[in-house]
Amino acid sequence: SARLGHAPAADRRPRRAAGVQRLKPAVDEKGRTAVIPLPGAERLPASVGYRGETFVRKSELHATLVGSRGGYDGAALSAAALGLDFNVRPSGIYRLARFGDERSLIELARIDGQEEYYERLEAALGRRVPRVPAHVTLFTEPGGRGIGLYTADQLEACSFPADLALEESPWRLDGNGAILAP
């Protein structure tokens, strides 16, 4: 199993103290996407070798609630998130995702608030909304953006278990979803 350490302390940016920041989705109404931005990308190594290939850390971390392929009304995406707090819990389960020449190393997660968000969105739209598998893309091929894994079928077809181990998740939250200080 490949063991990954964090960036040296001098390379880490300061983070907010516990209880100061809660996780709220960022909705791009024009692009019709909703993601939960996460702290901590700078805590990952700049690059990692895995099975003979080089992967580079993402410059930002997020968990996708709704990707652009759904074509959903942007205002409905925003309205469904009103008043909801999200907590993205790392699982410690990693997968290697591949689609064509694109590749990513992801961590599966649990998102508290995700199901309520989908229920609200479905009520607003009057149709079923596919559940995006809860995950965070940590690393991609050099120059990559990540692979859109919008359904459980896509996750199963395009990814495989990866024997990675991080010292701890790069994003750390308390039980109430507040960002913890390093």
Side-chain angles (χ1 to χ4, degrees):
S1 137
R3 183 139 184 88
L4 305 178
H6 293 296
D11 294 339
R12 296 182 191 171
R13 285 186 245 148
R15 294 173 45 196
R16 297 177 192 236
V20 173
Q21 182 178 350
R22 308 266 314 158
L23 296 179
K24 298 286 186 185
V27 175
D28 177 353
E29 292 188 7
K30 184 178 177 187
R32 299 182 173 176
T33 61
V35 301
I36 302 168
L38 296 167
E42 72 281 357
R43 293 177 47 119
L44 292 169
S47 66
V48 63
Y50 182 72
R51 295 195 175 181
E53 296 179 297
T54 299
F55 292 82
V56 296
R57 77 172 170 222
K58 293 240 347 207
S59 60
E60 57 79 32
L61 301 178
H62 67 267
T64 301
L65 291 169
V66 175
S68 58
R69 293 183 185 168
Y72 303 112
D73 176 67
L77 296 177
S78 293
L82 287 176
L84 284 180
D85 285 321
F86 295 88
N87 189 349
V88 181
R89 299 175 190 268
S91 69
I93 299 170
Y94 303 95
R95 294 183 71 86
L96 170 61
R98 291 188 179 281
F99 186 77
D101 292 335
E102 298 175 346
R103 54 190 159 83
S104 299
L105 291 169
I106 66 172
E107 181 174 7
L108 301 182
R110 186 177 117 216
I111 304 174
D112 299 336
Q114 182 180 29
E115 187 58 31
E116 185 175 352
Y117 178 79
Y118 289 131
E119 290 169 0
R120 289 177 175 192
L121 187 57
E122 287 173 338
L125 298 173
R127 64 179 165 132
R128 178 152 172 29
V129 175
R131 275 51 176 169
V132 173
H135 71 281
V136 177
T137 300
L138 304 174
F139 299 93
T140 67
E141 79 275 1
R145 293 182 36 198
I147 298 169
L149 298 171
Y150 300 118
T151 67
D153 288 343
Q154 286 175 328
L155 178 71
E156 193 61 33
C158 296
S159 72
F160 312 91
D163 55 346
L164 292 176
L166 290 175
E167 292 174 2
E168 63 183 17
S169 173
W171 74 95
R172 295 186 324 125
L173 309 172
D174 70 13
N176 296 315
I179 296 170
L180 294 172

